[in-house]
Each structure stands twice: as structure tokens, then as C-alpha cells.
């Protein structure tokens, strides 16, 4: 056992002397309370340790014990619907042990040791198995939790049987005596192995019009949501966590407000997944490291989260990971780096910030999983970024931009006029459009791309026209251009805006999304045709059917189709004013 | 106070730099403990351990380092974290930045002695903020509703009446139906004498003082004391809330002075600066203050820290809390006013003649919104009054423009429908 003594304490960082033989990222226990920390630098016989718990009251000379294992998470049945802190301590169990406030030095295993799970074998004695092969399943809520051979293990099964098992009990034994238990551990800073990465060809359907039809993200892709404060990042993240069409959602509250985690905690058990009709909590894992919890655990929390996501990916599931927010994570890096007295880069962030960010986002992806059945799974990462003062030129926003595939820029001025989700349609982009095009053409409509491009064209044209309006006033525009302004106003108000709090509109099925956009574009085409034969825009906008299109969010698809036909007739019936 | 076995004393100070003392070779010092510093002239000051190593211990001195020498000054380590004595009798009293009376009154008789740092609330133990706090100001109640268990920052610039606003909130705030059990902890950091006396006079004049605990660190008081002030105030607030079942609103003003004190200490320690010279850990440090707001399940009442935007607004409004149409109406007001403001810019260039009739109505709406809704002076408006003004304003716009409001609510609350209904009811 490697031990040493505390020789300096400065906030969340301490020095341990005489701890010869330690490795980088080994977990250590400090003092009588066995506070947990992680070695982040070695200098001769001295190690620099970042502490996952508050260091107040620690003394010089207290004992430091190296566990000689890296920070790892427990993976197995019992993860789903749990809420953990940044180092996988279940907060419900902590609540049981220490009450309303989190006290220090409590150690609780991540998975419940006593609960029994009904194990059903999927392999038999004599089968040859390798890493990633499924030996059996247990039912966890409605999810088939596949028990896989952990990475690095292979052999022939000697014994396997159906039984009610605890997570630490062996589900099967190999001929060389290796036991495969329901759970295994994996170091969080190392990505789990897979066979090959695949291109992103499937979109992540979120039920949000601006995300699904205009700026889609692929399954296994990465997206970022930057926005100044108050633009609705957290609401967007939560909306995505609620409605994404994945089997598992990992939600990381990284350095954000405690009250927001409470929101997720109280809301998710009540909300129902529109696809499976089951409570949303039954597919969600939550990691909460609120801003007042120790800073080093905040740094670890996103790794803890993505390792769990990868574990479910390896079972062959689609997983969505929401990190709110990566800025707070970057600030944790900066804080620790500052305590280490490292040479600062831009704005005090360490020079390795971009490396760490890209290493994290690269763990997303759609892969062929390890195992002989070649199943596929994906991890999609959506990271919120909170640039101070809404300034997108700051290092975390800029470095994240270089990595991610979809950029949903939240805009303060849109939020100010209560346009939600406040995604700025000019600044945002998606690099997955071509990749997912085939899927949309097959499953939505062969018109999708044309419709989307037409919409974007109109919205961009609007920006140009607005500049002219600023100079000469709206009345001076020709009728054809007035029609464009009318159409874009409809796109903005009747299509892009979507209230996360509305009962009928917070989730919008893909088919309805398509028909809503179609109705607006058809109205515009009708309008511009009418203008060409001398009708005034004023006459068209006065039609009652336009107001009905404005209330489309509360209507169903059949009604919208009816409206398209009606609008077409009414506009055609208009006569030129004398 | 006689030194127990646990107390360690050190007779020499090695270095003094800005607000910090450096003491060499003291054994068994723990991180964050409190020290008493005896000056050659007999004065006693308080400090806190900021950094320990086997060579040097760094102490920040709350009362400043003036007159501390490095020959005769003695430092005594208490082995305890920073504590503050609290009692219900604190209501109506004025304290300095570290919790000692500064109103000339006697020392309080402590009911408890609390660690000012507090602990992190387990997110699982938190309850959802839900009850609406009525501040009596339309712009806050209607648009940025304050909810129990939340925090609300007020951003301001020099010359803006933020203090007036803060005082008015302290005076008028109430939870509907539970008015009398409400207390305010007012924490002033680095404000000028003029501002402080404004608050004092205002509270005395309106009789609010008896439900206020005042922590005051003036601009000429030692800067470092400010680092402890908000934590003392919150410890007192937690005590009043959790032990005496009061609803507590904490007002912290001005946090910029707190952050500057942090920066000063950081610079004296020669730390690597983050953004704008502030230390990298400022975010975490501020969070340990703000995150102490919140409701705990089964444990009432909660604390509100008020340092404009209401994230939790949706939880505190709606049927049973304010009124079902509150969210819709607030959104519509925001959206319409934003459009009206855009038009103003346009009018400055092209003149009002170039606008459509509809746009002219929006312009009128924006003006009326500012005059009738936002500016209200010292009036204490009930929520019903606020929302009825809002509907009168919205009625200036054509009904088809009110897209943010559900059709049902328009039928129910729009003045045009109400007037149409009223004679009918009389007839029946």
C-alpha cells in the first residue's frame, strides 16, 4: 500500500509527500474521514491531488492512502432513474445517510448491492465468448439491460444459469475460472472500446421544429447550445432530454443551479414519453454536481456521465447525453489549473483546454459495438455553453465550435422578445444535413430538403429586406417583397416559435412539423402568384384563413391539410381592387 | 479566554502583505480555521487560514492589517471554523460585516453558534420553488416574478436607482396569505454611508426595520471583512428560516464589492488571474453563496437570496398561485413591447407616416406600457391590479395580434369580452 502525508492545502488542491510509486489519476483517500481525491501531477515523491470533497478542517501531516486505482464507475443494472453526484455517489443514499446537506467522507457504492435482478441467460455452457458478447439479460424497467463480457475478457463458458442475482454475484463462469458478474467497473477517463465508428446517417428526432426540420443533429453527432444568460439553454437541454427519440438519456447538471436539477427531478417522473407511454424517468440517468459542490467533482462529472452513456451504447442502444453546462466544466479546469500555478492561456484557461474539450466530444459517435453480433449503438452529445456576457468569442465557445457538428446559437435579442426556442436562424448551422438527407426523403417527404432550403432562403432574404425597411419604411417596398416579409413573419411566429410549457405544442410529431411548414410555404407561393396578377398583399393578409394558420400549433394534421386547400381557394378567389 | 490544549499560539509573524499575514512553522494548523490576532496595542482581530503547508501558513485578516507588526503581534489558532452567534433577537438590529452589533446596542444572547460556510444542499433533498412572492411592483410581479426559494440578481449601472428598488422590495415583499411571518436579512457590502443611511431611514420610516436584520460593511470598513459578510448574513437567515419558521428574503448589495475583495486577496497571494484579474475560483465561490437559497423538502420555510430575469417564474405562477393567464400575458407583453421598441428606431429614421396602421398601434402600446405598467413610483400594487393593467394595455392591440395568449383566456379576460358580458349578467 502506498501512503504519504499532506504537506500543503490550498482550496481543492493539496500536496501529498512521500507517496512514491503513485500513478497519474490514481484515486487517494485523505485523512481520518477518507476524503476522496485524484492525483493530477507527480513531482518526484510529491503528488498534487485534486479533492472531490471540501478540504476545510484538513491538517498538515494527515495520512494520504493511494488506492492504486483510477477513478472508475460501476456499470450494471440499477443505473437507470438514479441520480448521482460527480463521482457516482447516489444522492438518494447520501440523503438517507446524512440528511438534507451533503457532509464529507461518505462512501456509498454507485449500484445497490442488495437488490436482486432476474437474470436470463442468452448463451449456454460451452459457448465461446469474447469482449462485448451478451451472455444474458435482466429487465430494468422496460429496458432490456444486456449483461456483456467486460472488455479484455474472453473464454469458454463453463457454467451459466437462470437465477435472481445481486450485482456482485457471478452470472456466468468461464473455464479459466473468471467470473462475469452483473456489474463491472470502468475508468471514466478512458473511452470504452468498440469495433468501428460509422457515419452519421440517422437524425435525432426531438419533436422541436427548429431542431428537427431546420438544423438537425445526427444520432452519434455532437451539438452545442451557446447562449448568453437567460436565453433558455437549460430549458432547451431539458426539452431535448424529454423528447429525444433515444432509449437512454444521460443528463449531467454540471456546475449549474440546484433548483434546476430539482426541476428535472420532480418533473421527469410525471412526464410521459410520447413514444413508449412510460414515465421519462425510466430511461434517464441524472448526474448532479451543482455549482456549490466541490469543483474537482464537477470536472469529473462529465466523464462519469459519458462513461455510463458509452456502456448503454455498447448494449446496442441510442443514447443522448446532455451536458449543462460545459462552460462550468471549463471553469473547473481553470480553477484547478490556477491552483497548480500553471501558465495560463487565453482568459486564464489552461493551454490544454481545446485538447480536453475535443477528447470529450470525440467520445460521441455511432458505432458497431464490440461483440460478435455486430449490433450498433450511438451516443449523441449536446453541450450547453454559457459564454460570459453572451460573448461568443471566448475560448470555450470558440474551441467547442471547432469540434461540434450542429450549432444552435441562442440569441439574447430573440429571448428578449420571447421568441423561444431562441435559436438564431442566421447564425446557426448543421453539418449533418447531407448525411441525414436520405432518411428524411424516405421517412418524411421527398420535398423536405427543397422546403427547408426555401425557408432558409426566405429568412435570409428577410434580413436584407429589413435593412431596406430601416431606411425607407415598409410601405415603400414593392408588393412582392411585402409578401416575403409576411411569409417570414409567419415562419417565425407560427413555425419556429414553440413553447416548452404548452401542453399541445411542447412535442410536435415530425409529420405535423412538415405539414405546418408546408402550409406556410404554400401560403407564400399562393400569395406571390396572386401578387403577380395584381392583388395587394393587404387583401391576402386580411383573409380569416391566415389567422387560422396562425393557430396551427393547436390543430392536427388533417386540419392543417384542410387549411392548405382552403387558403389556396380563398387566395385564388380574390379579385384585383379597382 | 484561556488557551486550551488544542490552541496553538505563535508569537512571530513573518510577512505582512496587503490583507494577508504569513506565519512560518506552525504545526497542526487546519485549512479554513479561525485565528485571533493580538496586536501590540492590545487590539484583537480575527483572521482565517487561507493556505497551509508545512512551511508557511497564510492568514487573511478581516479587519485589515494596519498596525500589525512582525515582531510583537501574536497569532492564536482556534482550531475551529468561522462561527457566528445567532438569535431571533437579531431582528431589528444592525451588525457589522462579521456579525458584531454596530448600533450601540448590547451583544445578543446567542441561541446557537453556526458555521458560516454552511454545507451543500443535496440536490435530491431540494424541493421545487413554487410560491409566488408579491413585491407590489408590476414590472417584477407581472414579468419577472419572484418565487420563494429562488435568487434574483438586479444588474445596474452607476446612477441608476438600484438601492431604491432593493429597499422597496424589502419593504413590500410578502407571500400572499402569510404576510406576518416574513423577515428580511439585508446584507450591505462596501456601500457608502449615504446609501446605508438611506436604507436605515427608509426602513425606520416605514416601520419595516423590526423585521429586518441588517449586516453592514461600509465603503471605508476593511475590505476583507466583506468576504465573510454574505456568509454571516446567510447563516443568520438559515437560522431564522429553519429554526424559527420565518420566510426569509436575503438582499445582498453590492456583490461587485464582494468580488473586488476576492480579487484583492487573490492578487496579494500572487495567484494566476482568470478573466479581468478576478481569480479563477470566483464562480465557485459565488455559487457557494447563491446556492444556499432554496427550499428543502419537508423543511419550510425557505430562503430567498435576492442579489432581471426569472428562471423559476414558471413554477411560481399559474392557476392557484397567481392566475392561469399570467404566463401568456407576460409573454405577450414582452413580445409586443419588443416589437414596439424596434418600431421606435424605425420612426426615428423614416417618420411615423411610413408606418402601417397596425405598427402605429404598436407604437402607442409601447408608450403606454412604459408609462402605466413599468413606472409606478412608490405605489404598492396587488397582483390583480398588475394583471388588469396588463390586459387594458393588451386591449390596445387588435385581437388577432395576441397570438401568445390562448383563445380561451382572451374570451375570459379580454376587457372587450368582459364588458360585453357584464350587462348580460345584470339582465339575468
Amino acid at each position: 500500500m502506498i501512503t504519504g502525508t499532506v504537506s500543503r492545502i490550498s482550496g481543492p488542491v493539496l500536496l501529498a509527500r512521500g507517496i512514491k510509486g503513485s500513478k497519474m489519476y490514481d484515486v487517494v483517500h485523505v485523512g481520518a474521514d477518507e476524503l476522496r481525491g485524484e492525483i493530477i501531477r507527480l513531482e518526484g515523491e510529491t503528488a498534487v491531488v485534486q479533492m472531490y470533497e471540501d478540504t476545510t478542517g484538513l491538517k498538515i501531516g494527515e495520512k494520504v492512502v493511494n488506492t492504486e486505482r483510477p477513478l472508475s464507475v460501476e456499470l450494471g443494472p440499477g443505473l437507470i432513474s438514479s441520480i448521482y453526484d460527480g463521482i457516482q455517489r447516489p444522492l438518494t443514499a447520501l440523503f438517507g445517510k446524512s440528511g438534507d446537506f451533503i457532509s464529507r467522507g461518505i462512501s456509498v457504492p454507485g449500484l445497490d448491492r442488495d437488490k436482486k435482478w432476474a437474470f436470463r441467460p442468452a448463451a449456454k455452457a460451452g459457448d465461446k465468448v469474447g469482449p462485448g458478447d451478451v451472455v444474458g439479460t435482466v429487465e430494468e424497467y422496460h429496458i432490456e439491460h444486456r449483461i456483456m463480457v467486460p472488455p479484455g475478457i474472453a473464454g469458454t463458458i463453463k457454467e451459466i444459469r437462470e437465477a435472481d442475482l445481486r450485482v456482485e454475484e457471478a452470472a456466468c463462469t468461464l473455464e479459466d475460472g473468471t467470473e462475469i458478474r452483473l456489474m463491472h467497473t470502468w475508468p471514466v477517463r478512458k473511452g470504452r472500446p468498440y469495433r468501428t465508428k460509422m457515419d452519421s446517417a440517422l437524425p435525432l428526432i426531438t419533436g422541436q421544429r427548429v431542431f428537427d426540420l431546420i438544423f438537425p443533429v445526427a444520432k452519434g453527432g455532437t451539438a452545442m447550445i451557446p447562449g448568453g444568460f437567460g436565453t433558455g439553454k437549460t430549458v432547451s437541454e431539458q426539452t431535448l432530454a424529454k423528447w429525444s427519440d433515444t432509449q437512454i438519456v444521460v443528463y449531467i447538471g454540471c456546475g449549474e443551479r440546484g433548483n434546476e436539477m430539482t426541476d428535472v427531478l420532480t418533473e421527469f417522473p410525471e412526464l410521459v414519453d410520447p413514444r413508449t407511454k412510460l414515465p421519462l424517468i425510466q430511461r434517464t440517468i441524472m448526474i448532479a454536481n451543482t455549482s456549490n459542490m466541490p469543483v474537482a467533482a464537477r470536472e469529473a462529472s462529465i466523464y462519469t456521465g459519458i462513461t455510463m452513456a458509452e456502456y448503454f451504447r455498447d448494449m446496442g442502444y441510442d443514447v443522448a447525453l446532455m451536458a449543462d453546462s460545459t462552460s462550468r466544466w471549463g471553469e473547473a479546469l481553470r480553477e484547478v489549473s490556477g491552483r497548480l500555478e500553471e501558465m495560463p492561456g487565453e482568459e486564464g484557461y489552461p493551454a490544454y483546454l481545446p485538447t480536453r474539450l475535443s477528447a470529450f466530444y470525440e467520445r460521441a459517435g455511432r458505432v458497431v459495438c464490440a461483440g460478435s453480433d455486430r449490433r450498433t449503438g450511438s451516443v449523441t452529445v449536446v453541450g450547453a455553453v454559457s459564454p460570459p456576457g453572451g460573448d461568443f468569442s471566448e475560448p470555450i465557445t470558440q474551441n467547442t465550435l471547432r469540434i461540434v457538428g450542429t450549432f444552435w446559437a441562442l440569441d439574447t435579442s430573440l429571448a428578449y422578445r420571447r421568441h423561444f426556442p431562441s435559436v438564431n436562424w442566421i447564425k446557426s448551422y448543421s453539418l449533418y444535413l447531407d448525411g441525414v438527407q436520405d432518411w428524411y426523403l424516405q421517412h418524411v417527404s421527398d420535398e423536405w430538403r427543397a422546403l427547408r432550403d426555401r425557408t432558409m432562403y426566405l429568412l435570409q432574404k428577410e434580413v436584407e429586406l429589413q435593412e431596406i425597411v430601416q431606411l425607407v419604411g415598409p410601405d415603400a417596398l414593392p408588393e412582392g417583397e411585402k409578401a416575403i416579409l409576411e411569409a417570414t413573419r409567419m415562419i417565425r411566429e407560427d413555425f419556429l416559435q414553440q413553447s416548452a410549457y404548452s401542453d399541445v405544442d411542447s412535442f410536435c410529431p415530425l409529420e405535423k412539423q412538415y405539414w405546418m411548414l408546408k402550409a406556410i410555404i404554400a401560403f407564400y407561393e399562393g400569395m406571390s402568384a396572386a401578387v403577380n396578377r395584381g392583388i395587394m398583399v393587404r387583401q391576402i393578409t386580411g383573409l380569416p384563413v391566415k389567422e387560422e394558420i396562425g393557430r396551427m400549433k393547436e390543430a392536427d394534421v388533417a386540419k392543417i391539410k384542410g387549411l392548405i386547400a382552403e387558403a389556396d381557394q380563398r387566395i385564388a378567389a380574390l379579385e384585383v381592387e379597382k | 479566554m484561556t488557551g486550551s490544549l488544542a490552541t496553538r499560539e505563535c508569537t512571530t509573524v513573518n510577512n505582512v502583505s496587503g490583507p494577508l499575514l504569513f506565519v512560518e512553522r506552525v504545526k497542526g494548523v487546519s485549512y479554513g480555521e479561525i485565528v485571533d490576532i493580538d496586536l501590540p496595542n492590545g487590539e484583537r482581530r480575527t483572521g482565517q487560514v487561507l493556505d497551509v503547508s508545512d512551511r508557511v501558513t497564510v492568514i487573511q485578516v478581516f479587519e485589515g492589517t494596519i498596525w500589525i507588526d512582525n515582531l510583537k503581534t501574536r497569532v492564536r489558532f482556534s482550531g475551529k471554523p468561522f462561527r457566528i452567534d445567532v438569535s431571533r433577537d437579531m431582528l431589528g438590529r444592525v451588525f457589522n460585516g462579521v456579525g458584531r452589533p454596530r448600533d450601540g446596542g448590547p451583544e445578543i444572547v446567542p441561541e446557537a453558534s453556526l458555521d458560516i460556510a454552511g454545507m451543500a444542499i443535496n440536490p435530491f433533498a431540494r424541493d421545487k420553488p413554487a410560491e409566488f412572492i408579491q413585491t407590489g411592483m408590476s414590472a417584477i410581479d407581472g414579468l419577472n416574478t419572484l418565487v420563494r426559494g429562488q435568487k434574483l440578481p438586479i444588474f445596474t449601472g452607476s446612477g441608476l436607482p438600484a438601492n431604491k428598488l432593493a429597499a422597496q422590495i424589502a419593504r413590500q415583499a410578502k407571500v400572499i396569505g402569510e404576510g406576518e411571518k416574513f423577515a428580511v436579512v439585508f446584507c450591505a457590502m462596501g456601500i457608502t454611508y449615504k446609501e446605508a443611511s438611506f436604507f436605515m431611514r427608509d426602513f425606520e420610516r416605514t416601520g419595516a426595520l423590526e423585521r429586518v436584520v441588517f449586516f453592514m460593511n461600509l465603503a471605508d470598513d476593511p475590505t476583507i471583512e466583506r468576504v465573510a459578510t454574505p456568509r454571516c448574513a446567510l447563516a443568520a437567515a438559515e437560522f431564522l428560516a429553519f429554526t424559527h419558521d420565518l420566510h426569509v428574503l436575503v438582499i445582498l448589495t453590492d456583490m461587485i464589492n464582494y468580488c473586488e475583495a476576492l480579487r484583492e486577496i487573490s492578487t496579494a497571494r500572487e495567484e494566476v488571474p482568470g478573466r479581468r484579474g478576478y481569480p479563477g475560483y470566483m464562480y465557485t465561490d459565488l455559487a457557494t453563496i447563491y446556492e444556499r437559497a432554496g427550499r428543502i423538502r419537508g423543511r419550510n420555510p425557505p430562503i430567498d437570496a435576492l442579489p432581471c430575469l426569472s428562471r423559476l417564474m414558471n413554477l411560481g405562477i399559474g392557476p392557484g398561485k397567481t392566475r392561469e393567464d399570467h404566463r401568456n400575458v407576460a409573454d405577450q407583453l414582452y413580445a409586443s413591447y419588443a416589437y414596439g421598441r424596434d418600431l421606435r428606431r424605425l420612426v426615428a429614421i423614416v417618420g411615423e407616416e411610413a408606418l402601417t396602421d397596425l405598427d402605429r398601434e404598436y407604437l402607442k402600446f409601447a408608450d403606454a406600457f412604459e408609462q402605466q405598467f413599468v413606472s409606478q413610483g412608490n405605489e404598492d400594487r396587488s397582483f390583480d391590479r398588475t394583471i388588469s393593467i396588463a390586459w387594458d394595455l393588451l386591449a390596445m392591440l387588435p385581437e388577432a395580434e395576441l397570438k401568445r395568449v390562448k383563445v380561451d383566456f382572451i374570451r375570459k379576460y379580454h376587457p372587450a369580452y368582459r364588458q360585453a358580458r357584464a350587462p348580460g349578467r345584470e339582465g339575468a
Side-chain angles (χ1 to χ4, degrees):
Chain A
M1 192 170 61
I2 303 171
T3 59
T5 52
V6 176
S7 67
R8 185 181 170 194
I9 308 164
S10 169
V13 172
L14 59 80
L15 288 187
R17 178 175 299 159
I19 190 151
K20 198 175 171 186
S22 296
K23 299 186 298 297
M24 282 289 275
Y25 296 109
D26 274 353
V27 170
V28 296
H29 289 165
V30 180
D33 284 343
E34 300 202 335
L35 305 183
R36 276 204 264 183
E38 187 181 22
I39 294 179
I40 50 172
R41 186 194 277 175
L42 291 168
E43 294 161 354
E45 292 190 2
T46 307
V48 180
V49 178
Q50 62 171 352
M51 296 299 295
Y52 295 131
E53 294 180 75
D54 185 21
T55 50
T56 307
L58 272 184
K59 289 191 176 65
I60 299 298
E62 287 199 72
K63 200 170 174 187
V64 181
V65 180
N66 189 340
T67 61
E68 293 175 55
R69 287 174 53 190
L71 179 69
S72 304
V73 285
E74 297 183 345
L75 302 168
L79 286 172
I80 296 171
S81 86
S82 292
I83 170 163
Y84 294 111
D85 76 351
I87 48 173
Q88 212 205 6
R89 293 187 301 181
L91 289 171
T92 36
L94 288 186
F95 179 66
K97 276 202 169 180
S98 73
D100 296 337
F101 297 93
I102 297 176
S103 47
R104 298 183 305 159
I106 308 177
S107 173
V108 185
L111 297 175
D112 189 341
R113 290 290 186 271
D114 297 326
K115 188 163 179 185
K116 287 203 165 189
W117 301 89
F119 175 74
R120 277 200 314 274
K124 55 186 187 306
D127 283 359
K128 275 200 160 57
V129 288
D133 282 340
V134 177
V135 295
T137 59
V138 301
E139 189 99 351
E140 188 172 9
Y141 298 109
H142 61 285
I143 291 158
E144 188 186 86
H145 192 118
R146 295 171 186 151
I147 308 299
M148 298 169 292
V149 179
I153 293 177
T156 312
I157 296 178
K158 187 177 159 205
E159 197 190 336
I160 186 166
R161 63 194 165 83
E162 197 168 332
D164 284 351
L165 298 174
R166 297 191 178 88
V167 285
E168 282 185 308
E169 288 175 317
C172 90
T173 322
L174 301 184
E175 283 195 334
D176 61 0
T178 314
E179 288 186 339
I180 294 169
R181 300 180 297 171
L182 291 195
M183 60 159 268
H184 66 276
T185 57
W186 187 260
V188 297
R189 293 185 194 277
K190 194 162 179 260
R192 286 175 61 87
Y194 51 82
R195 253 172 217 272
T196 43
K197 263 200 181 171
M198 296 157 71
D199 285 339
S200 20
L202 305 174
L204 181 81
I205 304 300
T206 64
Q208 308 303 305
R209 291 185 286 269
V210 64
F211 298 153
D212 289 356
L213 282 198
I214 310 290
F215 303 111
V217 60
K219 283 202 174 108
T222 50
M224 76 185 277
I225 314 184
F229 97 124
T231 48
K233 290 182 296 292
T234 300
V235 175
S236 302
E237 286 271 8
Q238 289 182 2
T239 313
L240 289 170
K242 279 175 199 166
W243 309 128
S244 293
D245 68 335
T246 55
Q247 284 95 349
I248 303 285
V249 171
V250 179
Y251 190 94
I252 309 173
C254 174
E256 283 292 327
R257 297 165 199 83
N259 281 334
E260 282 166 5
M261 275 328 279
T262 313
D263 236 21
V264 180
L265 272 174
T266 46
E267 224 174 90
F268 276 39
E270 290 162 23
L271 286 172
V272 168
D273 185 341
R275 298 179 189 86
T276 58
K277 309 287 174 219
L278 292 162
L280 279 174
I281 194 89
Q282 296 184 3
R283 62 164 202 179
T284 311
I285 304 170
M286 277 165 293
I287 294 170
N289 196 270
T290 56
S291 50
N292 55 340
M293 286 155 84
V295 65
R298 189 194 308 161
E299 197 265 333
S301 66
I302 67 165
Y303 294 109
T304 302
I306 198 150
T307 309
M308 293 177 186
E310 285 176 339
Y311 173 65
F312 282 98
R313 173 203 70 191
D314 289 348
M315 287 181 209
Y317 291 127
D318 291 321
V319 185
L321 178 128
M322 313 292 158
D324 184 16
S325 97
T326 53
S327 293
R328 305 284 166 255
W329 172 77
E331 279 159 14
L333 273 189
R334 175 167 70 180
E335 186 169 336
V336 174
S337 161
R339 300 274 191 187
L340 294 180
E341 292 167 5
E342 290 173 338
M343 180 71 82
E346 226 178 324
E347 291 193 9
Y349 287 103
Y352 47 79
L353 175 79
T355 325
R356 294 279 180 92
L357 268 175
S358 43
F360 167 68
Y361 279 101
E362 269 308 293
R363 285 174 76 171
R366 193 159 150 257
V367 303
V368 178
C369 308
S372 50
D373 61 352
R374 295 192 162 267
R375 57 190 181 270
T376 59
S378 70
V379 174
T380 313
V381 174
V382 181
V385 178
S386 340
D391 168 16
F392 285 4
S393 67
E394 59 92 40
I396 295 193
T397 315
Q398 282 306 312
N399 286 312
T400 314
L401 257 178
R402 282 162 43 196
I403 308 158
V404 299
T406 298
F407 175 58
W408 291 321
L410 301 190
D411 191 331
T412 317
S413 71
L414 287 175
Y416 176 66
R417 60 201 66 195
R418 290 297 184 269
H419 175 112
F420 286 119
S422 62
V423 177
N424 183 311
W425 48 88
I426 303 297
K427 286 190 201 151
S428 302
Y429 61 78
S430 167
L431 302 180
Y432 298 112
L433 281 175
D434 296 329
V436 299
Q437 182 164 350
D438 287 346
W439 189 93
Y440 274 100
L441 299 188
Q442 226 171 10
H443 291 84
V444 183
S445 158
D446 45 16
E447 256 189 328
W448 166 71
R449 189 64 190 263
L451 204 58
R452 184 206 174 264
D453 290 348
R454 185 85 180 132
T455 309
M456 285 310 293
Y457 165 77
L458 288 174
L459 288 171
Q460 266 150 14
K461 189 82 189 161
E462 183 193 27
V463 177
E464 289 167 30
L465 292 178
Q466 286 295 359
E467 276 169 24
I468 300 170
V469 168
Q470 291 295 328
L471 293 175
V472 298
D475 261 7
L477 289 181
E479 289 295 300
E481 297 187 340
K482 279 187 199 164
I484 294 182
L485 287 183
E486 269 313 318
T488 54
R489 189 169 166 205
M490 289 167 80
I491 296 173
R492 282 186 282 117
E493 293 182 1
D494 306 335
F495 182 79
L496 294 177
Q497 283 180 13
Q498 187 169 4
S499 168
Y501 300 105
S502 154
D503 305 333
V504 283
D505 201 36
S506 67
F507 174 83
C508 185
L510 208 48
E511 192 195 2
K512 182 175 164 189
Q513 295 185 16
Y514 167 74
W515 283 104
M516 283 173 78
L517 190 58
K518 172 101 181 151
I520 294 170
I521 299 298
F523 189 87
Y524 167 71
E525 303 295 356
M527 191 155 52
S528 59
V531 165
N532 283 341
R533 57 185 175 91
I535 309 277
M536 310 289 278
V537 169
R538 177 164 43 80
Q539 285 173 274
I540 305 167
T541 53
L543 290 172
V545 69
K546 179 173 176 279
E547 202 188 324
E548 283 204 59
I549 291 178
R551 299 258 174 212
M552 218 161 29
K553 292 171 189 170
E554 293 167 41
D556 56 18
V557 173
K559 172 101 195 271
I560 296 170
K561 286 183 185 167
L563 284 176
I564 296 176
E566 192 188 335
D568 196 41
Q569 279 174 13
R570 301 273 165 174
I571 295 173
L574 287 172
E575 283 176 23
V576 179
E577 277 182 346
K578 294 280 159 51
Chain B
M1 201 164 76
T2 52
S4 70
L5 280 177
T7 359
R8 291 157 316 283
E9 216 177 289
C10 165
T11 46
T12 44
V13 172
N14 290 84
N15 287 315
V16 186
S17 158
L20 304 178
L21 289 188
F22 296 79
V23 184
E24 278 188 12
R25 282 186 288 276
V26 198
K27 289 235 157 58
V29 176
S30 62
Y31 181 72
E33 78 175 284
I34 283 296
V35 296
D36 288 326
I37 300 149
D38 289 319
L39 269 59
N41 63 3
E43 194 186 335
R44 171 169 289 184
R45 294 190 189 163
T46 315
Q48 187 172 18
V49 175
L50 272 193
D51 192 331
V52 280
S53 67
D54 40 11
R55 247 173 4 88
V56 174
T57 302
V58 183
I59 299 163
Q60 62 174 357
V61 186
F62 291 119
E63 290 93 340
T65 45
I66 188 163
W67 296 323
I68 289 185
D69 69 343
N70 57 2
L71 199 66
K72 289 189 192 141
T73 301
R74 293 154 67 93
V75 178
R76 198 201 316 259
F77 293 86
S78 68
K80 295 194 190 90
F82 197 155
R83 283 172 180 277
I84 175 178
D85 291 340
V86 288
S87 153
R88 197 187 167 125
D89 299 334
M90 291 176 99
L91 288 171
R93 298 285 304 270
V94 183
F95 299 90
N96 72 2
V98 287
R100 305 213 172 99
R102 71 179 286 164
D103 53 0
E107 292 274 335
I108 55 157
V109 181
E111 286 177 52
S113 178
L114 297 177
D115 183 353
I116 63 161
M119 279 185 287
I121 303 181
N122 186 331
F124 178 73
R126 277 179 190 264
D127 202 354
K128 231 168 146 171
E131 293 100 323
F132 161 64
I133 295 179
Q134 183 178 307
T135 61
M137 266 168 289
S138 296
I140 295 181
D141 290 351
L143 302 176
N144 287 297
T145 316
L146 186 58
V147 185
R148 273 178 58 191
Q150 84 159 99
K151 43 213 166 280
L152 180 81
I154 302 174
F155 292 97
T156 180
S158 302
L160 295 175
N163 288 332
K164 239 173 118 181
L165 179 66
Q168 195 172 355
I169 293 172
R171 201 167 62 227
Q172 298 179 350
K174 51 178 160 291
V175 177
I176 290 179
E178 298 188 59
E180 73 287 353
K181 285 174 70 189
F182 205 89
V184 174
V185 173
F186 198 100
C187 171
M189 289 158 285
I191 61 172
T192 59
Y193 175 76
K194 189 167 153 281
E195 288 167 317
S197 73
F198 162 78
F199 282 120
M200 292 296 296
R201 260 184 292 118
D202 193 83
F203 291 158
E204 267 168 30
R205 184 174 55 84
T206 54
L209 191 61
E210 61 193 56
R211 60 168 196 170
V212 179
V213 184
F214 215 123
F215 284 87
M216 209 153 69
N217 167 281
L218 294 185
D220 57 348
D221 288 336
T223 320
I224 305 311
E225 199 179 86
R226 276 166 219 165
V227 176
T229 312
R231 296 196 168 79
C232 290
L234 284 163
E238 281 167 352
F239 173 76
L240 291 174
F242 297 141
T243 312
H244 285 288
D245 281 357
L246 294 170
H247 300 285
V248 187
L249 176 74
V250 182
I251 299 177
L252 306 167
T253 180
D254 179 331
M255 287 308 282
I256 192 76
N257 294 327
Y258 172 83
C259 295
E260 278 170 4
L262 269 190
R263 179 162 66 177
E264 203 174 302
I265 298 170
S266 169
T267 318
R269 291 176 66 185
E270 296 175 2
E271 289 174 334
V272 180
R275 200 175 157 91
R276 294 202 176 164
Y278 290 105
Y281 50 80
M282 186 171 78
Y283 178 82
T284 312
D285 192 274
L286 285 176
T288 59
I289 295 175
Y290 292 141
E291 280 300 311
R292 285 167 79 173
R295 298 181 66 204
I296 294 181
R297 276 197 271 176
R299 244 170 111 168
N300 267 326
I303 295 179
D304 314 287
L306 183 92
C308 284
L309 166 102
S310 188
R311 285 165 202 282
L312 300 161
M313 173 169 171
N314 289 301
L315 305 172
I317 64 174
K321 293 165 187 160
T322 53
R323 210 167 82 181
E324 52 183 352
D325 55 333
H326 188 167
R327 157 60 53 196
N328 283 189
V329 169
D331 281 353
Q332 186 68 56
L333 284 175
Y334 259 112
S336 306
Y337 176 60
Y339 186 64
R341 292 227 332 197
D342 285 352
L343 287 172
R344 270 194 205 152
R345 240 178 301 159
L346 185 58
V347 167
I349 301 167
V350 298
E352 235 181 287
E353 295 71 35
L355 295 186
T356 61
D357 291 342
L358 178 64
D359 286 351
R360 262 179 234 131
E361 285 177 42
Y362 267 107
L363 266 186
K364 260 190 244 156
F365 166 83
D367 291 339
F369 175 79
E370 285 174 3
Q371 286 157 16
Q372 294 171 29
F373 195 84
V374 180
S375 46
Q376 67 173 87
N378 263 337
E379 184 190 347
D380 185 359
R381 273 184 203 160
S382 72
F383 179 74
D384 287 339
R385 177 89 191 102
T386 294
I387 201 157
S388 100
I389 295 173
W391 268 111
D392 289 343
L393 290 169
L394 290 180
M396 296 172 70
L397 299 171
E399 207 184 300
E401 287 297 307
L402 305 182
K403 283 187 186 170
R404 302 303 183 91
V405 188
K406 272 198 195 164
V407 186
D408 301 354
F409 294 155
I410 294 185
R411 298 260 154 76
K412 200 161 159 191
Y413 297 110
H414 194 289
Y417 289 92
R418 274 195 310 216
Q419 278 152 18
R421 259 200 318 263
R425 219 179 294 147
E426 278 163 19

